[in-house]
Amino acid sequence: MKATSLYHKPLAVTLEEHPYIEDFLSSFGLEIQPTTTSLEEYLDTLDPDLLEDLGISSEQLRKSLDDFLAGMLALQSPLDKVESLTIIGGRDKTGRPEHIELTLRPGEVVCIVGPTGSGKSRLLADIEWVAQGDTPTGRKILINDQVPDSKWRFSTEHKLVAQLSQNMNFVMDLSAEEFIRMHAESRLVTNPEEKIAQILEQANELAGERFSPNTPVTSLSGGQSRALMIADMAILSKSPIALIDEIENAGIDRKKALDLLVKEEKIILMATHDPILALMGDRRLVIRNGGIDKIIESSPAERKNLIALEELDNKLLALRNRIRGGETLENI
Amino acid sequence: MRFLTISGPPSSGKTSVILRVIEALQLREKKIGVIKFDCLLTDDDKRYAEKGVLVQKGLSGALCPDHYFVSNIESCVTWGHENGCEYLISESAGLCNRCSPHINEITAVCVIDNLSGINTPRKIGPMLKSADIVVITKGDIVSQAEREVFASRVKQVNPGAIIMHVNGITGQGAFELTSLFEEASDIETLKGKTLRFSMPSALCSYCLGETRIGEEHQTGNIRKMDI
């Protein structure tokens, strides 16, 4: 969609309504003032020599601005609702067919289990790529029972899948609050301050140890980083599907973390070997030799064992806290 | 022959990404050629040769690397075509951020990494801003949110490009990138083609080997800072 009318209003109005235009131009090294001239006139009067020094031609700048505005408008339009995700089986590494058709709905948690190198990541990648028999596994992915539009593959505004990888390192030199603000701005959320406060509050609830909004992201502990990223994913990300590559045990309340994502009506796929997380899932896909070998539904007996496992886990957590507090463990 | 220009800042992961793409293309039994451009030294040609692809190496030495590129690329394309390559990939580093090897009507790829800093996309010129496909690497080292923030910075300076995340070590995303390569421009020669953007120019006394500092030694195309 070309936002033609926007090129002819006075800049004072256009920049007020679309403040990101100023940021766009500044990323090319250009300045713009809220005057009575129009964006069209502004672009017409740019000095070609200046543009050459900045490394862009007038045509390229106009095309980029058109594309940029189209993307910004798309970001503000509502996302197509995902009611279901269907995985239609392909074949494993030896060519054996999977014979599986599995449909997932928002709020469901599916765990993916299997040894390292068995093909867990390939399954997650097939979903992210919305495979149509064109990946090595030959799997097909349907959204709302239909072959989805290929826009899902490349859209940065409407990503189908948000991925939470095991690695939670940060390299940016920003505080937790600045970092979340920058992320919120890039997603063009309507009430950023409220969302930032919510994310920081949730992250603190998930993390074992509290952190302040001014903490540099690079000094967060492993657990705090994971908590921040899960809260960020739940509250900021519009992607209807969350792919999680193991939530590590240390320093985070995993049950609360999962509940938070489920509450946001996401379809959750989680690669894990953690017995507690695996039993929290509605079912488990067992991956062997590149293929989905079987599907295990969590049974009532397993659910009962989950309670016992959680008690065991809480006991360990209490011991961990005693160690942290400088106590001895002679009596446990 | 499908021909692509791949460029990107030094150490952004161009060679690793290309190696992973080569593996994916070889699974499809394609004949591939690579032209590696560098300045002083490179052993990457050996890494390509080990994969069983045809390689040409070009070292620009004392010349401007991108001027060297543009004066040689036509014969490289002819070489690739004559040797029956189905895919030809040129790899060159953008060393001054104002250079760009991208050619009109030829699929242009820029490789940039998540660790290079949040302001880097703004600092890179036509090499990034006029690319058709932007590949972002080293995503496994940072969090999802940081990947998204970085990608949005790239999107801001090149909103029309397809942005892809590829891991040059594990190959994650390489398969998907390769399917885009299958739609790359199909050509036999570069005759009559033009660069997407002019190369930085100079031609002053220092271009001709002058080493002495001082007003009296400066002739030709000189520009002064406003101090």
Side-chain angles (χ1 to χ4, degrees), chain A residues 24-177:
Chain A
F24 169 82
L25 290 167
S26 82
S27 68
F28 287 88
L30 291 164
E31 280 177 24
I32 191 164
Q33 301 297 335
T35 57
T36 52
T37 54
S38 69
L39 188 55
E40 185 68 40
E41 288 162 325
Y42 169 83
L43 293 169
D44 280 342
T45 50
L46 284 172
D47 179 5
D49 286 345
L50 170 71
L51 289 178
E52 193 179 357
D53 271 346
L54 294 172
I56 188 146
S57 66
S58 177
E59 302 81 69
Q60 175 84 46
L61 182 68
R62 280 170 183 272
K63 186 186 167 297
S64 288
L65 183 55
D66 272 347
D67 290 339
F68 177 75
L69 290 170
M72 280 300 170
L73 293 174
L75 208 51
Q76 291 167 66
S77 68
L79 196 63
D80 302 350
K81 189 142 177 54
V82 172
E83 314 267 7
S84 70
L85 166 78
T86 305
I87 304 168
I88 301 174
R91 54 191 173 268
D92 72 8
K93 282 175 193 162
T94 60
R96 203 168 62 103
E98 287 178 315
H99 295 307
I100 268 167
E101 189 173 321
L102 177 68
T103 298
L104 311 176
R105 297 184 193 284
E108 273 186 63
V109 180
V110 174
C111 293
I112 302 172
V113 299
T116 308
S118 60
K120 298 193 292 285
S121 303
R122 186 64 250 171
L123 175 60
L124 297 182
D126 282 346
I127 295 169
E128 192 165 15
W129 183 243
V130 222
Q132 292 307 320
D134 57 350
T135 66
T137 61
R139 289 189 189 117
K140 291 197 181 99
I141 304 295
L142 304 183
I143 305 287
N144 302 339
D145 299 322
Q146 287 175 348
V147 174
D149 197 313
S150 65
K151 73 170 185 196
W152 288 110
R153 287 188 171 180
F154 304 116
S155 169
T156 43
E157 289 85 17
H158 292 164
K159 269 183 90 69
L160 182 63
V161 166
Q163 202 169 357
L164 205 62
S165 48
Q166 262 188 36
N167 213 319
M168 295 284 174
N169 289 331
F170 293 99
V171 294
M172 289 180 189
D173 188 14
L174 297 168
S175 73
E177 188 180 0

Side-chain angles (χ1 to χ4, degrees), chain A residues 53 134 163 167 171 183, chain B residues 140 144 146 148 175 198 223:
Chain A
D53 271 346
D134 57 350
Q163 202 169 357
N167 213 319
V171 294
H183 192 204
Chain B
D140 56 324
Q144 161 81 13
E146 199 163 332
E148 275 185 27
F175 174 84
S198 65
R223 186 187 295 184

Side-chain angles (χ1 to χ4, degrees), chain A residues 1-13:
Chain A
M1 183 168 57
K2 198 174 145 103
T4 342
S5 67
L6 190 149
Y7 283 88
H8 300 292
K9 292 183 194 167
L11 279 173
V13 178

Side-chain angles (χ1 to χ4, degrees), chain A residues 223-242:
Chain A
Q224 288 168 334
S225 302
R226 273 186 282 280
L228 185 63
M229 285 303 91
I230 287 167
D232 173 274
M233 187 190 227
I235 295 166
L236 215 49
S237 161
K238 288 189 198 163
S239 304
I241 300 171

Side-chain angles (χ1 to χ4, degrees), chain A residues 122 125 129 136, chain B residues 16-25 27-28 135-136 164-182:
Chain A
R122 186 64 250 171
W129 183 243
Chain B
S16 296
V17 167
I18 296 170
L19 286 168
R20 300 292 87 79
V21 166
I22 287 172
E23 288 162 6
L25 283 172
L27 282 180
R28 298 168 208 200
V135 174
I136 306 180
M164 300 222 55
H165 294 268
V166 178
N167 183 324
I169 296 171
T170 64
Q172 194 182 353
F175 174 84
E176 288 77 4
L177 179 64
T178 306
S179 37
L180 292 180
F181 278 29
E182 288 183 328

